Amino acid sequence: SQQGEEDPQALSIQEGENATMNCSYKTSINNLQWYRQNSGRGLVHLILIRSNEREKHSGRLRVTLDTSKKSSSLLITASRAADTASYFCATDPRVFRLVFGQGTRLTINP
Amino acid sequence: KAGVTQTPRYLIKTRGQQVTLSCSPISGHRSVSWYQQTPGQGLQFLFEYFSETQRNKGNFPGRFSGRQFSNSRSEMNVSTLELGDSALYLCASSSASGRVAEQFFGPGTRLTVL
């Protein structure tokens, strides 16, 4: 079964708007990661946030982590057409493996 | 540095056959993980190898096996293929020896079982 659940499953916004995706997980974690996947290709690592961190930034990305609620959010600011992709959160409930959520499919409309 | 490479990129097999997929990690990475991605089940962990040792295995039947060589290259094998094995198989490498860190993914092998 999946450890993470992303919400929403699909999101469509206009270019320039901000996109927010949420991830909830079930068990305690060491860190949480976000990945992007373009149309059936390999995943690209975006950001890693450790369990003792609450917020992390990387360029136009902002990730928050609330371990008390077992949830995380990914914010993409000033979206671009190239941001169209599926976004996955991944947790490490057990050492040496990642467990992925079902993903959020993001579409940026020009 | 060259990225993670996977061969072949596409594969068509028939039920009952077996298949071997190959993965070459980023130079210097000793951890290699394999994942299966399907529309219904999403991304599921198959197994992880570090220095030729399998450290973790997902909930897949024994038809799925893997190995890692001394140069960190890895192969996975699926025997007696079933229609449900049609999927994108992704390999990822990491420099971390301990807890899971950033994974670098290859482009995947698209397996179709007819």
Side-chain angles (χ1 to χ4, degrees):
Chain A
S1 62
Q2 300 296 109
Q3 157 80 329
E5 297 287 338
E6 278 97 341
D7 170 58
Q9 290 187 357
L11 179 61
S12 181
I13 60 173
Q14 296 299 121
E15 195 167 13
E17 293 181 338
N18 296 340
T20 299
M21 289 158 270
N22 302 296
C23 166
S24 60
Y25 55 92
K26 299 174 184 174
T27 63
S28 61
I29 60 172
N30 297 302
N31 62 58
L32 185 144
Q33 303 180 46
W34 285 90
Y35 287 82
R36 183 187 75 225
Q37 184 180 37
N38 291 89
S39 191
R41 303 173 76 174
L43 279 74
V44 174
H45 181 266
L46 295 176
I47 198 163
L48 180 153
I49 185 165
R50 303 191 187 283
S51 58
N52 61 354
E53 297 176 310
R54 292 296 169 259
E55 187 171 312
K56 202 162 184 179
H57 296 254
S58 177
R60 295 183 295 112
L61 306 180
R62 171 179 170 253
V63 168
T64 62
L65 179 64
D66 188 335
T67 53
S68 67
K69 295 181 179 178
K70 292 187 170 58
S71 68
S72 174
S73 68
L74 170 67
L75 168 67
I76 303 174
T77 60
S79 63
R80 305 167 181 169
D83 295 328
T84 293
S86 291
Y87 292 81
F88 297 88
C89 68
T91 58
D92 61 341
R94 297 183 184 179
V95 183
F96 313 135
R97 67 185 293 178
L98 282 179
V99 179
F100 287 85
Q102 290 284 7
T104 292
R105 197 166 55 254
L106 174 65
T107 302
I108 308 299
N109 302 303
Chain B
K1 275 186 181 177
V4 177
T5 58
Q6 292 186 246
T7 57
R9 292 292 310 280
Y10 302 91
L11 207 48
I12 299 176
K13 292 285 188 179
T14 56
R15 277 182 301 175
Q17 288 186 310
Q18 75 166 22
V19 66
T20 299
L21 311 182
S22 181
C23 171
S24 292
I26 290 173
S27 177
H29 286 190
R30 293 161 64 188
S31 170
V32 174
S33 299
W34 288 89
Y35 296 86
Q36 181 197 65
Q37 186 177 30
T38 60
Q41 298 298 316
L43 277 154
Q44 293 191 295
F45 173 80
L46 281 158
F47 23 67
E48 189 264 356
Y49 289 89
F50 182 84
S51 292
E52 301 179 67
T53 298
Q54 185 183 89
R55 299 194 295 187
N56 206 342
K57 189 177 190 302
N59 296 324
F60 279 81
R63 301 184 296 107
F64 291 81
S65 63
R67 59 178 175 169
Q68 186 181 33
F69 302 94
S70 58
N71 61 358
S72 294
R73 190 176 69 84
S74 177
E75 289 182 348
M76 67 162 282
N77 184 275
V78 187
S79 63
T80 319
L81 284 166
E82 301 177 359
L83 295 179
D85 296 333
S86 293
L88 180 67
Y89 290 87
L90 294 162
C91 163
S93 74
S94 171
S95 60
S97 60
R99 296 200 180 278
V100 175
E102 177 182 356
Q103 303 269 299
F104 293 83
F105 281 81
T109 293
R110 174 76 63 184
L111 172 64
T112 302
V113 182
L114 303 175

